[in-house]
Each structure stands twice: as C-alpha cells, then as structure tokens.
Amino acid sequence: MLRVLVVVLLVLVAVFVVLVRGTFSVSKPGREVTINRLYSLASANRVREATLLDQEAQVVGRFCPSGRVSGCRSGLVSFHAAYPQSDVATQQLIDRLGGRARLEVRHQTGKAVARLVITFVLPLMILAALFGIIFVVAAAGGDSDLAGVVGFGRLGKKQKREKATEDAVTFADVAGIGDVVTEVQEVIDYLRDPTKFEAFAAVAPKGVLLFGPPGCGKTLMARAVAGESGVPFITASGTDFVESLVGVGAARVRDLFSQARELAPAIVFIDEIDAVGRTREGEGVSGGEREQTLNQLLVEMDGFDVSSGIVLMGATNRPDILDAALMRPGRFDRHITLEPPDADGRAEILAVHARRRPVAADVDLFDVARQTPGFTGADLANVINEAALLAVREGQEGGQVSARHFSEAIQRVLHGPHRGKLMTADERYRLAVHESGHAVVASAVGRRTDIHRVSILAQGAGVAKTSMGGDGDRVLLTDHEIQDRLAIMMAGMAAEARLCDRPSTTAENDIAQATALAKEMVGLYGMSAGIGPVRVLARYGGFLSADGTSMEAIGDQSIETFDTEVRQLIETAKDHATQLLTDHQPALTNIITTLEQEETLEGTALQQLLDTVTPSSTNGHHPHNDTPTRDLRGL
Ligand code: ADP
C-alpha cells in the first residue's frame, strides 16, 4: 500500500513538473516590441500579421523593419509584444490593427485546461497522496521518527501492556504491605467477578490512587493487583500526556482508554499522575493543554460505567498538588499511602528478594533491616543485588551471599562504591580521630548499639563515615534526644580540637547537619527559651517529598534571637561532646589506634571496643540542666 502511494506521488510530481514547463512557457519569437510601438507600426502599415495568444498574453506576428509591408525590401521580421489582458485592450488592438494587418485571435483552449489542472487538480492529488502516505505510516505505528511525529494522538511504544500471564507479579512478591492488601481486595474481587457486585448493586472503586515516595513499590503494587485479579495491566506515565501541542494529551488519554476498553477487564496504571493531574488554579501559558488533558481524563473516568471492568490506578509522590476533581468520589475514590517500610517491613522485603538467592545462614535479615533505616523497597532490592554482585565477584564455587557482603552492599548503596582514595598518614590519623569522636560520644549518650560501622575509608562523595541506625523509624524525639544527636554530630570536631592541632574541613557535613537540626529545634519545635513556642521556620516541600525549611516573616529582633539560640545550642552540644570525650579519653585513644589499623570497624569488634564507654554518668545529664537560663523544658 505504502509503495503504491509513493509511486503515485512520484508520478504526480513528475506530471506536474512537465506540465508546468509546457504550459507556463511563453512563446517569444523575434524582436520584443511594446504594445504602443506595435500600434504605431500598424498605423504606418508596417505590420503584416498579428496573432493574439489569449492564455500567454502575447501578441506575435511579423512586421517590416524598413518600411511598409507592401514592397518590404528588408524582408519581414518576427516580433512579440506583451499584451495587457483586458476587454479595453482587446478592443483597442482590433481598432488599431483591424484592416491594416491580418489579425487573428487564438484561443489556447488546451493551455487553459492544462493550467486549471496544474493549479487546482494536481496539487490536490499530490496532497492527498502525501496524507495517504503519512497515515499509512502512522497506522503501521512503526519506529520511524515520522511515526512519532504523525502518531501524536497515540500513546506510542512507551506505553506498555502486560497480558495476564503465569509469571505475573502477585502479593507474594510484595512485602510489608499488610494493611494495603485489604484496601485493594475489593478491586481484585470486582475484577475477578463483577457479577457479584452487580447483584448487590454495589459500586466498586473506580480509581485507586497510590501515594508514596519513589521506590516504595507503587508500580509493583499495581502490577500485583493485576496479577492477583488475572487481568491485563496497561501502563502509561503521566509525562506521556504532557505535550506542548494543545489537544494531543487529550487524544492520548482517549487512546489509552479505548485500548483499555478493548482489553477489559483490565487495570490501567498511570504513573506520575501529578504530571497531568496538577491542580488547575494559577496556571501559566502551558495551562491550556494540561487542563484539556485533565478534563479528558475526568471525562473518561466518568464515562466508563461500573460494569466495564476497568479500574484505574494512579501513582504519585505529590498528592498535595493533585486537582481536587480527581480525588472526588467516583474518580480516584480510594487513596492508599505507601510509606518507606519500618524495620519489620524492611526485613520482609529483604526476605522476598533473598528468596531467589543463595544467602548464607549467618545472615540475619532483621539485622540488615536494622542497619537500613529509611531505605525504600527499591533501595533494599538494590542492597541485595549489590551483595549478590560482591559475592559473584569473589567467585567462590558454591559461594553464598554472606553478612560481610550485605554490610558492604549497604555502604555502597548509601555512598556509592569505594573510591579507593589514597590518603596520607596524617589524614588517616585525623579521620580516625574524627570518626572515633562520633562513635565515643554516641555510646556515651547511650546509643552504642545503634552504631553499626565506623570507617575511615573514602566512600562516594564523603570521606569517612560513622553509620548509625536505630532511630530512623522513630516517630518523635524529645529535646534531650535531639541535643544528644547534636552532641554526636559535633563530636568529630570536638575530638579533632582535642587531639589535632588545627581544625580541618572534615567538619563541613557535621556542621551543616547540626545547624539544620538546631534551627528546627528553635524554629519548628519551640524548644528554646528565647523564641518560645512560636513558629519561626516554615517547612516547604510537599507531604512525603524532599523538604527543607525557610524563614517565616518575623521581626529583626526575633531573627537575632533565633540566631543566638541556634548558635548556643550548637556550641553547648560541642562543649558537651568535648566533656564526654574527656571523660572517656582512654576508650577514645583505644578506638583511634584500632581504627587507624583496621580502617573499618563493625559488628562485635566495634561493640567490644565501645564497651568501656558507659553512658551511666552522662545519660540524662545535659549541660543545660546546669544553666537554668537555658532550661528548655521550662517552656
Ligand atoms: P515506585 O513505583 O513506588 O517508584 P516500584 O514499584 O517501581 O516503586 O518499586 C521498585 C522496585 O523496588 C520493585 O521492582 C521491587 O523490586 C522493589 N520493591 C519496592 N517495594 C517493595 C515491596 N514492598 N516488596 C518487595 N519489593 C519491593
């Protein structure tokens, strides 16, 4: 078909070129004369014959250059004259030449028809052939760029369909989602047997919206729902619908739903739905297109009736920016939040991913889970994969993924692969001092078991690292606990101040973290006497998204007080850390020496070294208790 159309197009173009050349060429024989000159030649009886070519707007003929035609000695010469086509001019020509020369008018009917064909018929046919080619290509949906340009109203290859197959994802592949399963159970029941719902005239949820940060298993969950219900899974991303051409997004939404209707019962999953479903207020120039797309989505959602067997699932990590119309009953009426898993959830997820891998008996997945606070399902899958890769690299026959591999893998996922950065002996000592400081103060404030690993090896962007876990899952913290954290953060610097002659750049990250935390204490949690229970900071960033803080509009004086309070908190924390380090000098020295040799300390070896650091004398003893003016609990 395509070939035929291309041939037709080529033939048409060729005919067009030939005709244009033949028809629009103008015959200009002999000398050129103006029409007025022709008239005067005629009055002097010097023109023998003249022919008016009506399509070419020319008068051609012969005249005598030397004198009258009768008895012309020099012989007749051809001429041509441009002729302004009008009735008046024609009349004038007849008046002036009639009787004096042989005058003839040639109606060039052939040329007239050819011109009509060239100007109207052929271009139309060429255009038709072109469109024909374009649509054949688009319908074929090929991978060519042309198809991409032309098939703009379609979703194209990005959008995937999955047929219900034997190896579909099921809930067995998704871990740590106990409550969520009950939420989607109805959807599954409905897709499996819609008649059961009809009997009760019950309306199954039309749309399920999954909220949660990236990697928490939203896609996996949607896929599992499809797998459990045994229906096809159609996926598209919200960004597929975002185009600068108005109407294209809406056409794609229609396309998606028409595919779904063909395959129904089915699950349609739109990832990153916030790209289309953003709230419609206060939009700029691009608002028109997005609004149309969103409207189309709403129309489609209202359009499929309950018995059609289509359930729409959407995923986003920005529920705060979604348009209210999307969340209304009858649209996405079921909202499910997937959060980063807690320790038990993490252990379950690890277990799911460990199923297919030879994991050594000495690996305690609960222990790995404890070391990975804040990790999402995707991060954990990554940890297991990294651990397996490390085991592969060692390449022992019948080798297994051991606890050592896991520990290394966690660090890799956290900080990127080892950089193998070379360092001088001085730098080594300094890093050992810095990291030991963190470790000693952390155990001195009673968090010894939370320290998983102390290392002076350069990793990722950072240099050395003391890894702590344990309170990533905490729901709330008291002011004392935050002060302890501050002291742990400042301990590296305090240790360097005690044992090295000059401060160094290792403190950068600690200071940044400590400052942010101290600001939150004062500005968000009302934990300072100077500012009191007044909000000075505002959190920005949406629910579940990366966030930060910014200053509220407050008076100059408050800003000053805020600064002073933050500074005091950090300095007190540093003093506290220095005090704790002095109290535990022998243990500190001991750890520094070992760390310098071993480079990385973890597990029981680390715990034994820290054994001597007893929190008893300092636990619950906070420097601010000695300074009544800064009694934070007095608020
Ligand atoms: P999201 O859509 O929320 O960004 P995905 O569903 O794409 O996240 O998750 C990415 C990967 O993380 C999954 O393919 C899976 O391997 C892993 N994963 C996430 N959550 C879980 C979970 N609860 N149980 C098992 N694996 C999970």
Side-chain angles (χ1 to χ4, degrees):
M1 181 67 182
L2 185 63
R3 219 169 265 175
V4 176
L5 279 170
V6 171
V7 172
V8 169
L9 180 70
L10 290 180
V11 170
L12 285 174
V13 171
V15 171
F16 184 77
V17 172
V18 172
L19 279 183
V20 164
R21 297 186 113 205
T23 324
F24 287 94
S25 63
V26 175
S27 36
K28 289 182 174 171
R31 277 194 218 166
E32 178 170 11
V33 295
T34 63
I35 196 84
N36 286 330
R37 170 97 179 113
L38 178 63
Y39 294 155
S40 52
L41 284 172
S43 350
N45 286 327
R46 288 170 61 186
V47 180
R48 157 68 71 84
E49 63 204 16
T51 308
L52 175 62
L53 304 173
D54 74 340
Q55 288 299 318
E56 291 176 21
Q58 292 280 333
V59 181
V60 294
R62 287 189 298 164
F63 78 107
C64 175
S66 51
R68 288 172 161 256
V69 173
S70 49
C72 178
R73 277 174 281 119
S74 55
L76 295 172
V77 172
S78 302
F79 71 86
H80 68 269
Y83 154 72
Q85 270 173 320
S86 76
D87 290 347
V88 181
T90 313
Q91 193 55 50
Q92 207 173 14
L93 191 74
I94 293 168
D95 291 348
R96 298 282 186 100
L97 267 69
R100 292 196 170 90
R102 234 185 291 143
L103 182 63
E104 188 190 332
V105 174
R106 195 178 299 159
H107 295 292
Q108 297 169 298
T109 335
K111 277 204 170 176
V113 173
R115 283 190 180 189
L116 193 72
V117 169
I118 290 172
T119 40
F120 291 108
V121 185
L122 268 182
L124 278 181
M125 286 171 75
I126 288 175
L127 273 181
L130 260 180
F131 274 107
I133 289 173
I134 284 172
F135 280 104
V136 168
V137 172
D143 282 350
S144 67
D145 287 346
L146 186 60
V149 176
V150 176
F152 48 68
R154 290 157 184 272
L155 268 164
K157 57 189 162 171
K158 257 198 241 155
Q159 173 257 358
K160 288 167 271 165
R161 288 181 195 184
E162 271 170 33
K163 283 262 189 290
T165 50
E166 292 293 299
D167 51 23
V169 178
T170 64
F171 283 147
D173 302 302
V174 197
I177 44 146
D179 303 346
V180 179
V181 174
T182 37
E183 294 272 343
V184 290
Q185 193 58 46
E186 266 164 40
V187 174
I188 296 170
D189 289 345
Y190 165 68
L191 286 171
R192 277 191 188 153
D193 183 13
T195 49
K196 201 161 79 185
F197 281 70
E198 280 159 28
F200 288 89
V203 181
K206 253 188 190 178
V208 179
L209 206 48
L210 300 167
F211 300 143
C216 275
K218 298 183 293 293
T219 315
L220 191 69
M221 183 73 204
R223 199 164 264 146
V225 172
E228 289 284 331
S229 341
V231 301
F233 182 67
I234 306 174
T235 131
S237 167
T239 48
D240 294 348
F241 303 109
V242 181
E243 289 288 336
S244 46
L245 281 173
V246 174
V248 171
R252 288 192 184 157
V253 170
R254 272 196 297 278
D255 189 43
L256 178 68
F257 279 88
S258 73
Q259 288 187 26
R261 269 188 285 271
E262 275 169 35
L263 291 174
I267 285 193
V268 176
F269 176 68
I270 304 182
D271 207 356
E272 297 171 66
I273 196 159
D274 46 289
V276 243
R278 203 173 268 263
T279 180
R280 284 172 286 189
E281 285 152 25
E283 297 230 304
V285 191
S286 69
E289 160 63 359
R290 180 127 38 77
E291 191 160 318
Q292 269 202 17
T293 311
L294 176 58
N295 285 340
Q296 187 62 39
L297 188 64
L298 297 176
V299 167
E300 292 286 352
M301 288 198 77
D302 292 338
F304 58 77
D305 79 281
V306 196
S307 56
S308 66
I310 299 174
V311 172
L312 191 60
M313 294 185 84
T316 176
N317 48 9
R318 299 292 313 271
D320 54 319
I321 57 165
L322 284 188
D323 199 286
L326 262 185
M327 320 274 245
R328 247 192 38 201
R331 277 131 181 197
F332 284 107
D333 33 20
R334 197 56 58 99
H335 301 175
I336 297 176
T337 307
L338 295 172
E339 279 176 340
D342 60 7
D344 288 341
R346 288 197 299 273
E348 281 178 43
I349 295 176
L350 286 166
V352 164
H353 288 275
R355 264 194 322 227
R356 286 173 290 121
R357 298 180 165 96
V359 176
D362 70 328
V363 178
D364 179 0
L365 291 180
F366 277 97
D367 193 43
V368 178
R370 249 176 11 94
Q371 293 180 40
T372 46
F375 275 43
T376 62
D379 294 330
L380 293 169
N382 199 2
V383 165
I384 294 223
N385 193 43
E386 281 287 343
L389 285 176
L390 287 169
V392 170
R393 196 175 297 171
E394 288 180 8
Q396 290 156 1
E397 275 291 310
Q400 288 183 316
V401 188
S402 70
R404 189 168 43 83
H405 295 140
F406 269 101
S407 170
E408 173 91 30
I410 294 172
Q411 296 306 315
R412 277 173 173 255
V413 171
L414 273 177
H415 309 292
H418 280 283
R419 282 194 307 182
K421 199 172 175 184
L422 298 170
M423 52 180 124
T424 63
D426 276 355
E427 283 171 336
R428 239 176 128 84
Y429 174 68
R430 186 181 281 278
L431 288 175
V433 168
H434 187 104
E435 296 307 319
S436 306
H438 286 307
V440 168
V441 170
S443 14
V445 297
R447 293 187 54 195
R448 178 159 62 102
T449 49
D450 291 337
I451 312 170
H452 299 306
R453 178 183 160 113
V454 182
S455 171
I456 57 169
L457 285 185
Q459 284 191 339
V463 249
K465 182 78 187 164
T466 300
S467 318
M468 298 203 42
D471 63 7
D473 298 329
R474 291 286 299 273
V475 178
L476 56 81
L477 294 167
T478 65
D479 57 347
H480 279 187
E481 284 162 336
I482 304 183
Q483 281 161 351
D484 285 347
R485 283 175 163 218
L486 282 177
I488 299 172
M489 289 171 185
M490 299 311 293
M493 222 181 151
E496 280 189 66
R498 264 180 76 77
L499 297 172
C500 309
D501 46 349
R502 311 290 322 156
S504 78
T505 54
T506 45
E508 179 186 346
N509 204 10
D510 296 340
I511 293 177
Q513 282 186 356
T515 312
L517 189 58
K519 278 185 175 173
E520 287 184 15
M521 274 186 92
V522 179
L524 286 178
Y525 313 131
M527 288 177 181
S528 74
I531 292 288
V534 172
R535 179 164 140 141
V536 177
L537 287 184
R539 262 194 208 285
Y540 60 80
F543 164 62
L544 292 176
S545 65
D547 55 9
T549 51
S550 64
M551 280 305 244
E552 292 268 25
I554 52 167
D556 287 349
Q557 211 186 334
S558 297
I559 292 184
E560 239 164 69
T561 321
F562 177 75
D563 274 345
T564 325
E565 289 286 349
V566 170
R567 186 176 299 275
Q568 260 180 15
L569 271 175
I570 296 178
E571 279 179 356
T572 314
K574 192 175 165 205
D575 293 346
H576 187 199
T578 311
Q579 183 58 47
L580 291 174
L581 290 174
T582 320
D583 292 351
H584 298 285
Q585 179 66 46
L588 180 65
T589 323
N590 202 1
I591 295 180
I592 294 173
T593 323
T594 326
L595 195 56
E596 257 193 299
Q597 285 161 6
E598 305 276 322
E599 294 186 341
T600 300
L601 290 171
E602 57 188 327
T604 35
L606 175 65
Q607 296 298 333
Q608 271 168 7
L609 274 173
L610 291 171
D611 248 356
T612 50
V613 184
T614 41
S616 54
S617 64
T618 46
N619 199 15
H621 165 90
H622 280 272
H624 56 79
N625 290 354
D626 309 332
T627 48
T629 45
R630 295 188 28 74
D631 186 355
L632 303 180
R633 284 169 307 167
L635 289 171

